[in-house]
Amino acid sequence: MGIFFLYLVSLLPFWFLYGVADVIFLVLYYVIRYRRDVVKINLANSFPERSEAERHKIERRYYCYMADLMVETIKMISVSERSLRKRMKPTNPELVPHYFSQGRSIIAAAGHYCNWEMAALAFGLLTEEKRIIVYKPLSNEVFNGLFNRVRARFGAILVAMKQTLRTMIAFKNDLTFSVLVSDQTPVKHEINYFTTFLNQPTAVFLGIEKLAKLIDAVVIFYRIDRISRGYYTYTLVPLIEQPKETTGHEITEAHVQYLEKLIRETPQYWLWSHRRWKYKPEDMNK
């Protein structure tokens, strides 16, 4: 019943949904105060050089955008290809055939930044070669299935994180374009590396680096920029073209630093309500 209701909501026009988003913002921010303590701490630790007033402005803008993100994500359930192409436009799609013509597969790092769900859907339209989205399964099987069906609407292959290596090996003779979200938080027993991200020691996955070296794939960043309400562009930013020639953690540092640069440019579009810094280096010995 819940999924059917979301489908019906997704049929509503964007202009109506943004009216709903305005109400959602008021409820999230002023009534239930959804994770405002988490957001305040994350912003204070990430931007100690900014004044409290500046951080408050980012916080309020973040909740405004979160409300938009919620209705836009629901809209992705039924959005048409024509509307999607109009609202999520690539700036340099020629980069894909450029690397494929060299016999090179591509691995893209992405963040929980701007509308990553709309970008994942548009990703399926980029090429006819194998498009792989690596995802972290949700605990709720019903919603996990819904998100996977939505992301795969235009031909992308959904692969759970723990199946990534097996999938890459199975496709080793094919050209592939894979996207992995780089700012997920590893569970404690899977943490193998900390870096400095947004002024804090941060546990990161090394999967992008390992996979890129395994299949000798070009590493890019899947950058999303918001142009106006409901309209975005995405840019494929080359980071590492020769992964096997890199030093240890060089690839990981490259995509982490690029995401930080993006967040510092327009911080309200990152997922500040996520408990990203649950673990610190000193916790590893406990």
Side-chain angles (χ1 to χ4, degrees):
M1 180 63 72
I3 300 300
F4 181 67
F5 174 75
L6 289 177
Y7 173 74
L8 292 179
V9 172
S10 78
L11 298 176
L12 296 169
F14 272 100
W15 64 264
F16 184 90
L17 289 174
Y18 285 128
V20 174
D22 292 339
V23 176
I24 291 174
F25 160 69
L26 296 174
V27 173
L28 286 176
Y29 194 72
Y30 292 107
V31 181
I32 65 175
R33 300 175 63 86
Y34 175 74
R35 290 193 177 182
R36 282 187 59 178
D37 55 339
V38 174
V39 174
K40 284 182 183 296
I41 292 171
N42 284 344
L43 286 172
N45 291 338
S46 298
F47 302 122
E49 75 284 0
R50 301 199 185 195
S51 68
E52 186 173 346
E54 288 176 310
R55 293 196 297 267
H56 178 73
K57 185 180 292 186
I58 295 170
E59 176 189 333
R60 197 173 187 281
R61 287 176 176 174
Y62 166 67
Y63 279 94
C64 283
Y65 181 65
M66 178 194 276
D68 280 5
L69 181 62
M70 290 171 69
V71 300
E72 288 174 3
T73 300
I74 293 172
K75 185 65 180 177
M76 293 305 98
I77 296 173
S78 63
V79 70
S80 68
E81 179 179 335
R82 180 181 178 184
S83 180
L84 180 63
R85 287 187 183 275
K86 183 173 69 173
R87 292 177 175 276
M88 181 65 75
K89 294 184 176 180
T91 64
N92 59 342
E94 69 279 359
L95 205 66
V96 179
H98 168 72
Y99 286 126
F100 281 170
S101 68
Q102 300 174 12
R104 304 294 303 281
S105 288
I106 304 167
I107 292 180
H112 287 99
Y113 183 86
C114 278
N115 193 329
W116 64 89
E117 290 294 349
M118 188 186 292
L121 194 57
F123 170 67
L125 301 172
L126 257 179
T127 177
E128 292 301 315
E129 302 290 350
K130 288 184 172 65
R131 293 89 77 201
I132 299 170
I133 297 175
V134 178
Y135 71 98
K136 187 175 182 179
L138 300 175
S139 56
N140 186 303
E141 292 185 6
V142 174
F143 282 99
N144 186 67
L146 172 65
F147 276 108
N148 286 354
R149 287 194 298 275
V150 171
R151 292 163 180 160
R153 283 182 59 207
F154 297 115
I157 301 169
L158 276 294
V159 177
M161 288 180 68
K162 291 185 178 180
Q163 302 299 320
T164 308
L165 182 60
R166 180 182 300 176
T167 302
M168 291 300 185
I169 292 174
F171 292 154
K172 65 180 179 180
N173 296 322
D174 299 316
L175 291 174
T176 57
F177 187 171
S178 307
V179 174
L180 293 85
V181 176
S182 63
D183 55 357
Q184 300 273 17
T185 303
V187 295
K188 187 174 180 180
H189 71 272
E190 293 180 349
I191 295 175
N192 295 304
Y193 184 66
F194 279 86
T195 187
T196 300
F197 174 63
L198 290 172
N199 200 49
Q200 301 160 81
T202 307
V204 294
F205 282 108
L206 299 176
I208 293 173
E209 181 163 338
K210 291 177 180 178
L211 291 171
K213 290 183 176 181
L214 175 69
I215 65 174
D216 196 28
V218 175
V219 180
I220 67 172
F221 196 93
Y222 199 86
R223 172 176 180 146
I224 313 166
D225 289 285
R226 192 188 195 208
I227 306 306
S228 60
R229 202 174 198 184
Y231 291 89
Y232 302 85
T233 61
Y234 64 97
T235 303
L236 311 177
V237 182
L239 296 179
I240 304 287
E241 292 194 329
Q242 302 298 331
K244 292 189 175 181
E245 297 178 10
T246 60
T247 57
H249 304 133
E250 182 179 343
I251 294 173
T252 300
E253 291 294 337
H255 68 70
V256 168
Q257 289 172 19
Y258 191 88
L259 177 58
E260 177 169 337
K261 171 180 175 291
L262 193 57
I263 293 169
R264 288 187 178 278
E265 288 175 8
T266 44
Q268 64 266 31
Y269 298 139
W270 193 57
L271 191 62
W272 291 104
S273 52
H274 175 48
R275 292 186 172 90
R276 182 64 183 88
W277 291 279
K278 290 187 288 189
Y279 304 111
K280 299 184 182 303
E282 55 267 28
D283 296 330
M284 296 301 99
N285 296 322
K286 296 179 182 178

